[in-house]
Amino acid sequence: MESFEFQFSELIPGLPEELGLDCLTRLPYTTHRLASAVCRRWHQLISSRDFYYHRRKSGATRHLACLIQALPPAYTATGWKLCTSLSYGITVFDPLSQSWDRIPPIPQYPDGLPLFCHIASTEGKLVVMGGWNPETYDPIVDVFVYDFTRCAWRKGKDMPSERSFFAIGASDGRIYIAGGHDGSKNSLKSAWVYDLRSDEWTELPEMNQRRDECEGLMVGSEFWVVSGYDTERQGMFDSSAEVYDLDSGEWRVVDQAWETGRCPRACVGMGKDGKLKNWSEAAPSVRVGACGMVIGTQLLVTGSEYQGAPQNFCLMEREGGQNSKITKMSIPEEYSGFVQSGCCVEV
């Protein structure tokens, strides 16, 4: 937002409106829920989209990593470990305070997230969509939006159709999806955009080819859909990518953008040189099952040294687009589980 106007007098009694707004702008995001309950004026201000963009322009927002992570195993009252399938929740890591937390479960899925669901974030909101029902393994079209201001979930409009293992990206209040496969395991080249503000879906032009198990990446005003494969080429990952220009509404193909035959899921990034990077190559300790995400000026990468090894969490500063020396982090036991995917939330 280029301008910010809120016609409230005495947001804080005794202070000019500008100073009152400055004080509320500086409030940490963790206090927004309580601050919104102070009065109606504060609630309208703090919950508005304009206030979010004002905070971002003022440098008052914070970058968080939101991870779809395996939850700690359950135990009986006598201490025996229950033999149940893995359940996943959403873990939040704040690199500034080095704190770890977990978002409350989605009310419709109290025992764990839908399997292989996708997450993305825009305008301080976290969006979870798709995946499989954790009890029946049936694909679902559910969309859920988490509001950090209210610390609450709301139900969004369902996806237009069943779609699994698709690419996802977010920009300016919209979530973009493309590719994946349908309920019959047929790979897709269709694409859609979900508008959080209107709670509506709009179909986009199709990609040039079908791409199952592709990976999405936002680069400026472009939505990159990396690799994937057609139905007849099961598991044979393509080296190309397709790029959707948000301004022109057109796709273009980028050949030789990715390593042929390598799954791109959760480990694709963009380097300063404009070429795709594989985060599994950041360090030997995260080369297996790598998941990476840029959080502000830092890069968080998780993974294992070898199959079956414990998860490692590494953090590095990114100065001028270049990666500095990577630092291995010490993680609380309850947040050390396998990370399936993640995204950065600016809140």
Side-chain angles (χ1 to χ4, degrees):
M1 293 287 180
E2 294 297 326
S3 63
F4 178 85
E5 295 183 4
F6 240 100
Q7 302 303 319
F8 287 131
S9 62
E10 289 197 343
L11 283 170
I12 299 178
L15 289 181
E17 182 179 339
E18 294 79 6
L19 287 180
L21 175 60
D22 187 57
C23 290
L24 294 182
T25 299
R26 295 169 183 269
L27 285 176
Y29 77 94
T30 52
T31 66
H32 285 178
R33 182 183 181 185
L34 290 175
S36 296
V38 170
C39 63
R40 180 176 297 179
R41 288 180 297 168
W42 282 27
H43 174 76
Q44 292 176 338
L45 174 66
I46 292 173
S47 61
S48 71
R49 187 167 61 249
D50 284 342
F51 184 63
Y52 168 78
Y53 279 104
H54 176 69
R55 291 179 62 248
R56 193 168 79 169
K57 186 177 181 179
S58 303
T61 53
R62 187 174 293 189
H63 292 87
L64 311 174
C66 285
L67 316 174
I68 295 183
Q69 185 179 42
L71 298 173
Y75 292 87
T76 66
T78 57
W80 287 89
K81 182 178 179 180
L82 294 175
C83 296
T84 58
S85 58
L86 284 179
S87 295
Y88 288 82
I90 298 179
T91 296
V92 179
F93 170 62
D94 186 337
L96 185 62
S97 64
Q98 294 286 301
S99 61
W100 296 83
D101 199 0
R102 196 156 275 134
I103 289 178
I106 297 171
Q108 290 86 338
Y109 296 94
D111 298 323
L113 293 168
L115 300 175
F116 308 115
C117 60
H118 293 66
I119 61 172
S121 176
T122 181
E123 294 186 342
K125 307 291 194 301
L126 182 68
V127 181
V128 175
M129 62 174 63
W132 302 350
N133 186 300
E135 295 183 356
T136 65
Y137 292 178
D138 293 328
I140 59 176
V141 294
D142 292 336
V143 174
F144 300 98
V145 181
Y146 185 77
D147 188 330
F148 281 83
T149 298
R150 298 189 302 113
C151 298
W153 291 95
R154 69 169 174 86
K155 184 75 167 64
K157 187 172 183 178
D158 287 348
M159 298 171 62
S161 61
E162 293 178 357
R163 183 185 300 255
S164 302
F165 297 103
F166 50 88
I168 189 169
S171 177
D172 295 331
R174 296 176 177 87
I175 308 295
Y176 297 83
I177 65 171
H181 66 248
D182 60 20
S184 300
K185 309 298 184 183
N186 297 310
S187 56
L188 301 168
K189 61 178 179 179
S190 57
W192 291 77
V193 58
Y194 172 63
D195 192 319
L196 267 73
R197 304 169 191 173
S198 63
D199 194 31
E200 292 292 340
W201 286 91
T202 302
E203 189 168 13
L204 301 176
E206 291 186 336
M207 294 186 292
N208 292 275
Q209 67 185 66
R210 301 176 185 274
R211 297 177 181 271
D212 194 2
E213 290 198 53
C214 46
E215 181 69 8
L217 183 69
M218 295 303 305
V219 182
S221 61
E222 295 182 334
F223 174 41
W224 284 62
V225 180
V226 181
S227 191
Y229 52 80
D230 200 348
T231 307
E232 290 74 25
R233 295 173 56 83
Q234 186 79 19
M236 300 175 66
F237 289 95
D238 197 89
S239 63
S240 69
E242 296 200 39
V243 182
Y244 180 75
D245 189 307
L246 274 58
D247 297 324
S248 69
E250 297 180 350
W251 290 95
R252 77 173 191 273
V253 177
V254 180
D255 294 320
Q256 304 302 315
W258 187 249
E259 182 180 344
T260 302
R262 187 157 197 170
C263 178
R265 284 188 58 79
C267 64
V268 179
M270 179 64 71
K272 185 180 180 181
D273 56 3
K275 295 182 180 180
L276 297 178
K277 301 294 183 182
N278 189 337
W279 296 138
S280 67
E281 299 173 353
S285 59
V286 295
R287 60 185 175 183
V288 176
C291 175
M293 69 215 70
V294 175
I295 41 177
T297 61
Q298 297 176 302
L299 170 66
L300 174 66
V301 185
T302 72
S304 301
E305 186 174 357
Y306 55 87
Q307 197 69 39
Q311 284 284 292
N312 292 314
F313 294 73
C314 297
L315 196 64
M316 67 174 68
E317 292 290 336
R318 307 185 78 228
E319 299 178 359
Q322 300 298 319
N323 297 335
S324 62
K325 183 178 179 180
I326 196 165
T327 302
K328 189 174 179 181
M329 303 166 61
S330 178
I331 306 299
E333 180 65 28
E334 61 269 33
Y335 299 108
S336 62
F338 171 73
V339 175
Q340 177 181 293
S341 61
C343 70
C344 174
V345 180
E346 185 176 359
V347 64

